[in-house]
Amino acid sequence: MIPFASQRASGQDLATHLLNAEDNEHVMVMDVRGALANDLHGAFAEWQLQADALTNCRNYLYSLSINPDPAQGRLTQEQYRDYVERVEKALGLEGQPRAVVFHIKHDREHAHIVWSRIDAEAGKAVQLSFDREKLMRVTRQFARDHGLELAGGYDRDHDNPEKSSQLSLYDKHQQDTTGLTREQRMELVTELWRTRDSAKAFVRALGEHGYMLARGNRPYVLVDIHGDTNALPRLIDDKSVRAKDVRAFLERDFPPETLPSVDEAKALAAKQRKDKAIQDKLDREAAAIKALSDKEAERRRAALTKVRELAARQNKERAAMKKKHHAERVSFRAKRLELARSIRQQRLRARPKGLARFLGRVTGMEHVIKRIRQYRDRNRRTETRQLQAALIERQRKTETELVKEHRLVMENQKRSLRSVMKVEKREQRSRAIKSLRRARQEQRARRGVEHLDAIDSKSYEALLSKGVEKAPKQQGRDLEDWRSGWNRLSHQFTKAADEFEKGEAGDRGDKTSKPKLAQQEEVRRRQQRRRDQDKER
């Protein structure tokens, strides 16, 4: 078995990669713990939020892939669980949030486990020092306990020459789009290097097999007919050959400054690889890809249907809530009006008549009763306004909470829809890459080419000649810039030295110093003498 682990960020991209059903025959999310969301995109987004809010950790995820040897049979669920628990204990990831995904690719089962490195309670990231050594130790112990054989490189004595290697993302992209592995490229370039007669013959042989020599971040870079780049020394599979050896062999006939840039070489490759046959092939397969995409778009349509159904249900709930609140306000107003009506009728029935009315008016009792009733009416109106305000505030809070709940539920549903669309987009890109690889392989088979199409030698030589014409001018400009910079620097040093000598003489109170005009003249002569020496150099 071969475990491969790395600390990384970009959780959304990782979730999309793990759910890509185009590159895997079967995808199954077994477990998501330590997150409110039950899907990968949501869980990784939560862990990223914890990392941003609690720590300065950038690589907040630790991703581990477990690849059992098909020749030794699949691992059981108990064996996977045992291995994961050992890894967690060795790396200090026990209890950390994690997600477990199983893939079956080309009838080969493997597992991906992704942990969050953020310890939310401690507010810091779990330190993973020497994780590779610890992972190898756990793997050796696990293989020993379960009777498994490990790939080369896990033995402490390293007697086994076979080494397990992991492709970089760029190498995998090259392999996926061209159908040529890195080993095939290295085998070809190494063979051309070993059979070289001269630098020109070596570069000409590279061109016949689809490679151009260019200038990039490194002095010598190979750009192939498809626009992919590789450092030339890294494609020579010979440990005794160093970058300085390659440069010493090539720089006499092909100095780095005379080579075309990587962008110029890519432009020439793009111009040459315009092939109508391969474009027709891609156009034909594009229709099949679109039909397959439409068939597999049921996930997106199902997720979109859920969003629409949720929106309709939420609209219905909000309409029902508004209707209920309106009914409560109408009922409240009706009750207060009924209370006022009943009080008014009661007062009319209790109104004194005849002599009682006369005596009440004479004694002032009627005025007192009137003032008492006004006081009670005022208190009742204040109470009504308070109850009405409380009712409105309660309804407002209820409406706000419902809208907030609806927004959260809708955002979660839309996030699921976006996750489905990301996965669908990744699967379409995987199909396009497979289609491009098949088209390029068929093109090579049709032309009888085992590796890559040859570079147009005339166009490439014209590009090299342009570099040769530019190089002397550039060298002249560099020399002139160096001389002007040296003159400016010399003048600054001379000025500083003269000022220092003046200050020293003044501090010592040197009575034998020259008069001021004579001293200035001496300084000018000294500066002129240094400038003349610089010109002679």
Side-chain angles (χ1 to χ4, degrees), residues 237-476:
D237 190 14
D238 189 345
K239 299 301 181 182
S240 62
V241 179
R242 304 294 183 183
K244 62 180 181 180
D245 301 327
V246 176
R247 181 161 187 165
F249 176 70
L250 294 174
E251 65 180 353
R252 181 174 180 178
D253 294 327
F254 299 95
E257 59 272 9
T258 65
L259 294 176
S261 65
V262 169
D263 293 335
E264 292 174 338
K266 285 184 177 181
L268 179 61
K271 183 178 180 180
Q272 183 176 344
R273 69 172 178 265
K274 287 183 178 179
D275 193 314
K276 187 176 183 305
I278 190 172
Q279 188 60 43
D280 293 343
K281 174 68 175 178
L282 293 177
D283 292 340
R284 287 195 303 271
E285 292 199 3
I289 290 176
K290 184 177 183 303
L292 186 59
S293 300
D294 293 340
K295 181 179 179 181
E296 294 187 354
E298 291 296 332
R299 294 174 302 181
R300 174 167 47 87
R301 283 193 284 268
L304 184 60
T305 301
K306 289 182 179 180
V307 171
R308 292 172 177 171
E309 291 177 351
L310 179 61
R313 187 165 61 253
Q314 290 181 349
N315 291 334
K316 187 181 295 184
E317 290 180 3
R318 284 195 291 269
M321 182 192 63
K322 290 182 179 180
K323 185 177 180 180
K324 178 183 177 182
H325 287 176
H326 178 71
E328 289 178 353
R329 291 193 295 270
V330 170
S331 176
F332 176 81
R333 185 170 182 272
K335 290 180 180 179
R336 302 309 293 185
L337 290 176
E338 181 63 26
L339 178 61
R341 190 181 302 111
S342 62
I343 292 174
R344 189 166 53 252
Q345 291 176 358
Q346 182 180 1
R347 289 175 180 177
L348 288 175
R349 287 194 299 269
R351 184 177 182 180
K353 299 178 181 179
L355 182 60
R357 182 178 183 183
F358 173 74
L359 291 174
R361 185 178 300 172
V362 171
T363 59
M365 184 60 68
E366 182 178 353
H367 179 70
V368 173
I369 294 174
K370 182 179 180 180
R371 294 298 297 272
I372 292 174
R373 288 178 176 176
Q374 288 177 352
Y375 174 76
R376 290 177 177 176
D377 291 343
R378 189 165 54 251
N379 289 342
R380 192 163 47 252
R381 286 194 297 271
T382 302
E383 182 185 3
T384 299
R385 285 194 295 270
Q386 292 176 351
L387 292 176
Q388 186 177 12
L391 175 63
I392 293 175
E393 180 64 19
R394 186 172 64 254
Q395 291 180 350
R396 186 189 65 80
K397 288 184 178 180
T398 304
E399 183 177 358
T400 302
E401 291 175 358
L402 182 63
V403 170
K404 183 178 180 180
E405 179 184 355
H406 282 181
R407 185 173 64 251
L408 292 176
V409 175
M410 178 59 73
E411 187 61 32
N412 184 59
Q413 195 64 47
K414 287 182 177 180
R415 183 187 53 75
S416 299
L417 175 60
R418 289 194 297 269
S419 301
V420 170
M421 295 177 69
K422 287 179 181 178
V423 175
E424 182 180 354
K425 185 177 180 180
R426 179 65 61 86
E427 291 176 352
Q428 290 176 356
R429 189 176 70 182
S430 298
R431 296 191 194 103
I433 290 176
K434 290 181 180 179
S435 176
L436 180 61
R437 182 178 68 247
R438 287 195 298 268
R440 288 175 173 175
Q441 288 175 338
E442 291 179 4
Q443 181 191 44
R444 291 199 296 271
R446 184 173 62 253
R447 295 180 179 179
V449 179
E450 294 183 359
H451 200 77
L452 296 175
D453 292 338
I455 300 294
D456 184 6
S457 58
K458 293 183 179 179
S459 301
Y460 184 45
E461 290 175 0
L463 196 60
L464 289 174
S465 63
K466 290 182 180 179
V468 173
E469 293 174 359
K470 293 179 182 179
K473 298 179 181 178
Q474 183 65 33
Q475 291 176 355

Side-chain angles (χ1 to χ4, degrees), residues 88-129:
E88 287 185 344
K89 185 176 180 180
L91 299 180
L93 294 172
E94 293 177 296
Q96 285 297 110
R98 78 179 185 197
V100 181
V101 182
F102 278 87
H103 286 169
I104 296 179
K105 183 175 183 179
H106 304 310
D107 200 29
R108 178 180 60 84
E109 183 187 64
H110 59 281
H112 296 268
I113 299 91
V114 183
W115 286 274
S116 169
R117 293 183 54 209
I118 308 304
D119 187 349
E121 295 182 359
K124 62 181 182 180
V126 177
Q127 182 67 25
L128 295 175
S129 301

Side-chain angles (χ1 to χ4, degrees), residues 12-30:
Q12 298 301 301
D13 185 70
L14 177 59
T16 304
H17 168 69
L18 293 178
L19 295 175
N20 184 3
E22 177 63 26
D23 291 339
N24 300 280
E25 301 167 5
H26 184 67
V27 177
M28 181 169 54
V29 180
M30 294 293 294

